[in-house]
Amino acid sequence: MKKTFPLALVTSAVVLSPLSVQAQPAESSPGTSKAKPSAALEEVIVTARRRAENIQETPIAVTAISGEALRDQGIVNTSELTKSVPSLQINEGQSNQIYIRGIGERSGFARVDPTVGVYLDDLFLPRTDGQLLDTVDVRSIQVLRGPQGTLFGKNTTGGALVLTLEKPNDVYEGYVEGALGNYESRSLRAAINIPITDNFYTRTAITYDKDDGFLEDKHQGKTYSSTDRKALVFQTRYEGDSSLTVDTLAYLGKIDEAFPAINCDVASENGLFADGLYVMWAGDTDPSNPTAYKKNCEANSRTKGNVGDLETNMGANPNLKKKLDTILIGATAQWDYNDDVTMKVVFGARKETEGPIASSDNDGGPENWSEALNTDDGDRDSFSLEYQVNGTAFDSRLSYTGGLFYMRETNFEPFALLSNFTGLDAVTLGQLAAGQLPTRPNPGGTQPFVGILSGPLSISEFDLENNTFAAFFQGSYDITDNLQFTGGIRYTAEKRSSELSLYQADVDAIEARVTGGVFFSPTTGKPITFGPNAGGFFPCLAGCVWADDPVRVFQNQFLDNNGDGIPDIPMSAEPTFVDKKEKTFSKVTPMVSVSYNLPGEWLDDSVLDSMMVYGTVSSGFKSGFFEPRLLDGLQQVDAEEVLNREVGFKIDAFDRTVRFNVAMYHMDFENMQLIQVSTDSGGNIAVIFRNAGESTITGAEMEFTWMPSPIVMFNASFSDNNYEFQQFKDNDLLNAVAGNFIPEDRTDETFPASPETTASVGAQLMIPTDFGMIIPRIDVSYKSEIFFGLDEGSYNLYEREGIGGSDAYTLIDARLSWQNNEGDTTVAAFVKNVTDERYVVGTASVADSVSTFNQTYGDPRRFGVMVRKSF
């Protein structure tokens, strides 16, 4: 589709040139008062290379935001960073879907590693469900863009989010912060730092966020897209002699909220579940014109007007309750061996339990026809240990980091795929059995057959064990006072052990229930019967015709009587088969970088205060895994690999009142692990992971900050990424169901789930008065169109009609704060999404198979007031 975006944002991005490293230092404490405005931007310290450095001297595309800056913008969850950080996209779904430069992971399945690593105080968080932590007691957040293939825990192909908490110290201090807003939102954040002895300190922080949700199902009297999150963080710090520091961390998190609900539009009437195979669903009475599936989706369509604004219609038991309990403990011991060498040991252990939850509602409406869900608690445990050595040598001209990393992770994940019972006309069934694509039946059809087209219900139980080992080294050498060379290398070995137990419906038990009995049509009142099983389908006998709605009669024998959201279809007591696979995926990922700081004498007669230029070649690797493909068992998905070539510059200018950073890059991306719709060898339809082949990403990012006076701050950002598949083969789905595997070329498509263009502009004014500081702020963010499809049919519709994606949108947030002269009390009124924009943040368009485009909408206008007291 043609990209369009507001002229005002383009002008700002070009004239101001983009975004937002905040003027406040990343090390500011939430317990201290806001510094008086100064006439220059302050130095920002980052740890993107595992050592403290000035961000303007770090040859990495990194955005750093301090805890104070997060509060200035009203950011309470890391998902909101997507509004202002270039090339960062965070979508809502069953899991947290984080993309950087178009590289991300979309499903949240335990078998798939995230492509963007999230780290909390050096601890790697391996599962996306627990990644988006509320910003409780955060000192700073750093977003590292591009593959971080050398220094960070497990390799990541997209980048990394690094969260640093406030640390215990020797001062008695703390804060309490509360907020109220519309949709019955209420939140509480508090922390207290208590020194116990001269060298042992503790810090405790809590957060509580709750609202009643904004999306109503008036048919069921329920509300979705709600929030209910609680977290406790307890830390200690022991400072021994001058060379030893020991930090401990305990994090308890509890989520018990309503998952974002969906609305539905028909993506294609020619999909397999619509007219593609002339499948009959409950309510269909003419095989030449099946309409029930379409009507079910449109019963939950806001574009068709069948539900109102901020309403949904998803039926009685949509399984949208998200429950996640997290326990995380960590310990870090740092020992300064001498003036030149520091050693660090980082230990972490995590346990997560996720309750049953829907993965997708493919039919999109109130009927319970095509669903995917986790049917029981999923358990996810991990243990990690890292040893680091940081040091300098050769009169401090060489700075280096090396070490070893180990992680063991076990996951149990139960997963159900429901396709329920469907009907096929006798002529259609015969054509499919002969490997022919079906033709449209005659009006009224012939003999009805009802039964199992795919499924109708399968339950997969995964037991997964991942063992990761890595050895890494990276060093930077100052060739001259201005020229620096950096080289690094990492060896990673990931041993993947997977066991799949597949349980399928008990066809004999189904046959016993539906044959031999007499049932009555809900439309004609006629008695009808079903004959014995014939290849999974049961003929409707005794003068039965399609007008009798035999599919509804058949399905009514398997209702959801226990209310768990799954029809009571009898299942086999033993697994159909058990499959075990094991493999070690390994890779060496090097990087090299050259940076040059322009000498001061070159800049004496210019507006520049400092300028650093750099060039980097870096690589990233994400492990392969084993993917269940229904009757074909576990199939290998190969590892992703990314090679990034990047150049950039970082400038401070006009007496350090302007900061301007630019990165330009070209990335070769191999074996993208992409969700696709395919079939097993038996023609059963499944949404699975496959490798997409080769692709490229070419783009640029800009960040800009300007302080024209001590009381005025502007910042802006801009990113543009061109995604191109170079090799992307798939199978034509309609022919595959008929047993004919015909390849199709999908290289003309764009990447899914990530916009090509993002931009943001922010302005903040600090007005001193006799009674305190008044701080108005406005932030504007822009996202270009986003394609949310899974298959070729969805992309063709998206290009032709705009169906299957998100339109470009602009969000405006406004905030007015007051801070007293002592700096210990703040009151703020805020409005997020001032214009009450409706914009899609998930989930998927699947035109070729399930025929629907399900959408999750982002937050409507939110407003409220916040009060913060520090002591």
Side-chain angles (χ1 to χ4, degrees):
M1 298 182 66
K2 182 179 179 181
K3 293 189 294 183
T4 60
F5 39 92
L7 178 61
L9 280 178
V10 177
T11 304
S12 299
V14 174
V15 176
L16 294 180
S17 263
L19 165 99
S20 81
V21 174
Q22 297 291 333
Q24 293 84 3
E27 301 299 320
S28 61
S29 167
T32 60
S33 63
K34 182 185 289 290
K36 292 182 179 180
S38 62
L41 298 171
E42 297 187 41
E43 179 178 302
V44 175
I45 301 300
V46 296
T47 55
R49 296 197 292 179
R50 294 295 183 107
R51 57 181 184 267
E53 298 177 292
N54 184 342
I55 193 172
Q56 295 303 96
E57 297 175 356
T58 305
I60 295 175
V62 55
T63 298
I65 306 178
S66 70
E68 187 174 5
L70 293 171
R71 292 193 297 277
D72 285 345
Q73 296 183 56
I75 294 176
V76 298
N77 188 282
T78 50
S79 64
E80 296 183 89
L81 296 174
T82 189
K83 294 180 181 180
S84 58
V85 176
S87 294
L88 175 66
Q89 177 69 17
I90 301 177
N91 298 324
E92 292 187 27
Q94 183 211 11
S95 64
N96 305 310
Q97 302 168 6
I98 311 174
Y99 290 77
I100 294 179
R101 296 178 177 174
I103 301 176
E105 199 281 294
R106 194 170 180 179
S107 74
F109 292 136
R111 59 187 178 271
V112 190
D113 279 349
T115 58
V116 176
V118 176
Y119 301 84
L120 179 66
D121 281 344
D122 283 333
L123 294 177
F124 175 66
L125 308 181
R127 294 297 115 204
T128 57
D129 284 344
Q131 280 186 338
L132 293 193
L133 301 175
D134 299 320
T135 56
V136 52
D137 212 27
V138 168
R139 176 185 295 181
S140 68
I141 297 178
Q142 300 170 53
V143 183
L144 285 59
R145 300 186 294 277
Q148 306 299 314
T150 304
L151 291 180
F152 281 91
K154 288 165 65 73
N155 269 325
T156 51
T157 48
L161 270 65
V162 181
L163 289 80
T164 303
L165 298 176
E166 287 289 346
K167 290 300 170 190
N169 57 69
D170 60 357
V171 177
Y172 179 81
E173 63 180 8
Y175 62 86
V176 177
E177 176 184 308
L180 296 173
N182 60 334
Y183 299 105
E184 301 297 321
S185 67
R186 53 272 195 201
S187 68
L188 173 67
R189 295 165 189 271
I192 185 168
N193 191 92
I194 302 176
I196 305 300
T197 68
D198 290 343
N199 60 357
F200 182 71
Y201 327 118
T202 66
R203 189 176 185 92
T204 305
I206 61 169
T207 180
Y208 168 80
D209 287 294
K210 187 176 178 65
D211 65 53
D212 290 350
F214 62 82
L215 203 59
E216 295 184 55
D217 190 329
K218 293 188 176 179
H219 300 272
Q220 303 295 327
K222 297 179 180 179
T223 304
Y224 301 108
S225 300
S226 67
T227 301
D228 189 350
R229 300 185 172 205
K230 309 175 185 69
L232 168 69
V233 179
F234 176 72
Q235 299 181 83
T236 70
R237 167 164 284 189
Y238 169 75
E239 295 180 347
D241 55 28
S242 60
S243 63
L244 178 66
T245 302
V246 179
D247 291 314
T248 68
L249 162 71
Y251 172 89
L252 303 177
K254 187 176 184 63
I255 297 175
D256 187 1
E257 58 195 23
F259 186 63
I262 62 170
N263 294 123
C264 182
D265 285 319
V266 176
S268 172
E269 296 186 13
N270 296 319
L272 299 184
F273 283 12
D275 285 357
L277 293 177
Y278 302 103
V279 175
M280 300 288 282
W281 299 87
D284 276 326
T285 56
D286 182 359
S288 69
N289 184 31
T291 60
Y293 194 85
K294 174 183 176 181
K295 289 178 180 178
N296 176 60
C297 166
E298 291 183 344
N300 189 23
S301 172
R302 67 188 301 271
T303 59
K304 296 293 183 180
N306 294 324
V307 294
D309 185 37
L310 302 181
E311 289 184 9
T312 187
N313 179 17
M314 296 191 65
N317 300 298
N319 280 298
L320 294 182
K321 194 68 173 177
K322 181 177 179 66
K323 294 186 176 182
L324 180 69
D325 295 331
T326 302
I327 300 174
L328 174 69
I329 59 174
T332 301
Q334 181 169 306
W335 179 39
D336 296 332
Y337 178 72
N338 56 37
D339 291 341
D340 297 320
V341 177
T342 297
M343 289 181 280
K344 181 187 289 189
V345 177
V346 182
F347 162 82
R350 162 191 148 274
K351 181 176 181 61
E352 278 188 350
T353 302
E354 183 178 48
I357 188 171
S359 175
S360 61
D361 184 349
N362 299 319
D363 61 66
E367 293 279 5
N368 201 4
W369 287 344
S370 180
E371 325 277 339
L373 62 158
N374 297 99
T375 55
D376 203 345
D377 286 350
D379 296 320
R380 302 170 183 181
D381 302 331
S382 64
F383 161 84
S384 64
L385 188 64
E386 184 168 1
Y387 171 72
Q388 298 176 21
V389 178
N390 297 276
T392 60
F394 304 111
D395 295 326
S396 297
R397 300 190 76 87
L398 174 66
S399 299
Y400 62 86
T401 298
L404 302 171
F405 174 83
Y406 172 76
M407 170 173 277
R408 180 179 182 270
E409 182 185 11
T410 59
N411 299 297
F412 171 73
E413 186 173 61
F415 180 74
L417 184 63
L418 169 71
S419 54
N420 218 313
F421 298 102
T422 55
L424 289 174
D425 189 75
V427 173
T428 303
L429 191 61
Q431 290 172 326
L432 288 172
Q436 301 173 4
L437 295 180
T439 57
R440 184 178 295 276
N442 293 324
T446 59
Q447 183 179 17
F449 280 77
V450 183
I452 303 168
L453 177 64
S454 178
L457 177 64
S458 62
I459 298 176
S460 301
E461 293 185 350
F462 293 97
D463 281 294
L464 310 168
E465 180 178 327
N466 305 331
N467 286 275
T468 303
F469 170 79
F472 56 91
F473 178 85
Q474 182 171 303
S476 299
Y477 186 78
D478 296 332
I479 299 172
T480 70
D481 290 343
N482 302 97
L483 179 63
Q484 184 182 84
F485 172 83
T486 300
I489 193 167
R490 184 186 193 93
Y491 170 75
T492 304
E494 301 241 14
K495 183 179 179 181
R496 297 284 173 136
S497 302
S498 301
E499 180 175 336
L500 167 67
S501 299
L502 178 64
Y503 295 82
Q504 292 187 290
D506 187 336
V507 178
D508 292 338
I510 293 171
E511 183 175 25
R513 188 177 300 183
V514 299
T515 58
V518 179
F519 311 101
F520 293 89
S521 165
T523 56
T524 63
K526 288 171 40 180
I528 61 176
T529 59
F530 293 96
N533 173 33
F537 277 84
F538 300 83
C540 191
L541 305 175
C544 173
V545 295
W546 283 112
D548 296 324
D549 194 1
V551 179
R552 177 69 72 185
V553 173
F554 199 100
Q555 286 192 7
N556 282 347
Q557 313 314 308
F558 306 93
L559 298 176
D560 177 21
N561 293 312
N562 62 3
D564 65 355
I566 305 175
D568 297 334
I569 297 171
M571 301 296 294
S572 57
E574 299 295 328
T576 304
F577 65 83
V578 175
D579 197 8
K580 298 180 181 180
K581 292 287 176 65
E582 183 175 287
K583 181 172 179 174
T584 298
F585 298 87
S586 61
K587 186 69 176 178
V588 174
T589 49
M591 67 82 60
V592 293
S593 178
V594 177
S595 61
Y596 185 72
N597 287 282
L598 273 63
E601 57 268 23
W602 292 13
L603 309 178
D604 286 343
D605 297 325
S606 73
V607 298
L608 301 181
D609 302 300
S610 67
M611 179 175 182
M612 187 265 288
V613 296
Y614 69 92
T616 296
V617 178
S618 59
S619 56
F621 157 83
K622 190 180 84 163
S623 175
F625 58 95
F626 295 103
E627 172 75 1
R629 195 170 299 175
L630 297 180
L631 298 179
D632 297 339
L634 293 169
Q635 303 293 308
Q636 180 176 313
V637 178
D638 292 334
E640 287 185 351
E641 298 179 20
V642 174
L643 179 63
N644 177 44
R645 306 170 187 89
E646 182 172 322
V647 295
F649 62 82
K650 299 186 177 186
I651 291 173
D652 280 354
F654 296 102
D655 296 326
R656 302 196 183 277
T657 61
V658 169
R659 185 162 293 159
F660 181 35
N661 298 341
V662 172
M664 296 169 285
Y665 42 87
H666 176 86
M667 294 193 284
D668 293 322
F669 193 6
E670 293 189 9
N671 294 325
M672 178 192 291
Q673 296 168 358
L674 191 64
I675 292 181
Q676 301 175 42
V677 182
S678 189
T679 64
D680 63 12
S681 57
N684 297 298
I685 301 168
V687 177
I688 60 172
F689 273 90
R690 295 171 66 183
N691 294 110
E694 298 179 2
S695 54
T696 60
I697 304 167
T698 303
E701 299 157 347
M702 296 181 285
E703 297 184 293
F704 174 85
T705 306
W706 178 35
M707 182 178 279
S709 80
I711 65 171
V712 179
M713 172 85 71
F714 292 100
N715 50 52
S717 74
F718 181 82
S719 66
D720 188 79
N721 291 281
N722 182 27
Y723 314 124
E724 291 187 359
F725 287 106
Q726 306 298 321
Q727 186 182 59
F728 187 8
K729 300 293 184 181
D730 202 354
N731 289 320
D732 178 84
L733 192 60
L734 182 59
N735 278 283
V737 171
N740 307 313
F741 294 92
I742 299 175
E744 59 185 11
D745 187 356
R746 298 180 60 183
T747 55
D748 60 337
E749 298 184 18
T750 187
F751 285 12
S754 188
E756 292 192 355
T757 303
T758 69
S760 71
V761 177
Q764 179 172 295
L765 182 64
M766 293 168 280
I767 307 172
T769 70
D770 292 340
F771 52 87
M773 183 88 72
I774 297 176
I775 310 168
R777 181 182 179 92
I778 188 168
D779 290 281
V780 183
S781 62
Y782 166 81
K783 302 280 187 181
S784 66
E785 299 91 343
I786 304 174
F787 171 53
F788 281 114
L790 298 186
D791 50 30
E792 184 184 42
S794 295
Y795 184 75
N796 292 335
L797 284 167
Y798 173 70
E799 283 289 283
R800 191 170 61 246
E801 303 177 29
I803 298 172
S806 168
D807 293 334
Y809 62 89
T810 300
L811 300 179
I812 302 173
D813 296 343
R815 190 176 184 89
L816 179 63
S817 304
W818 168 83
Q819 188 180 76
N820 66 349
N821 288 321
E822 293 72 26
D824 60 7
T825 302
T826 301
V827 179
F830 59 88
V831 183
K832 296 183 179 182
N833 190 4
V834 171
T835 59
D836 204 23
E837 182 84 2
R838 296 292 176 267
Y839 57 102
V840 176
V841 295
T843 56
S845 174
V846 194
D848 289 340
S849 56
V850 299
S851 310
T852 55
F853 172 38
N854 293 327
Q855 317 112 46
T856 296
Y857 283 85
D859 280 10
R861 182 188 296 118
R862 298 270 194 167
F863 56 84
V865 62
M866 182 277 294
V867 179
R868 179 185 177 92
K869 176 67 176 178
S870 302
F871 56 87

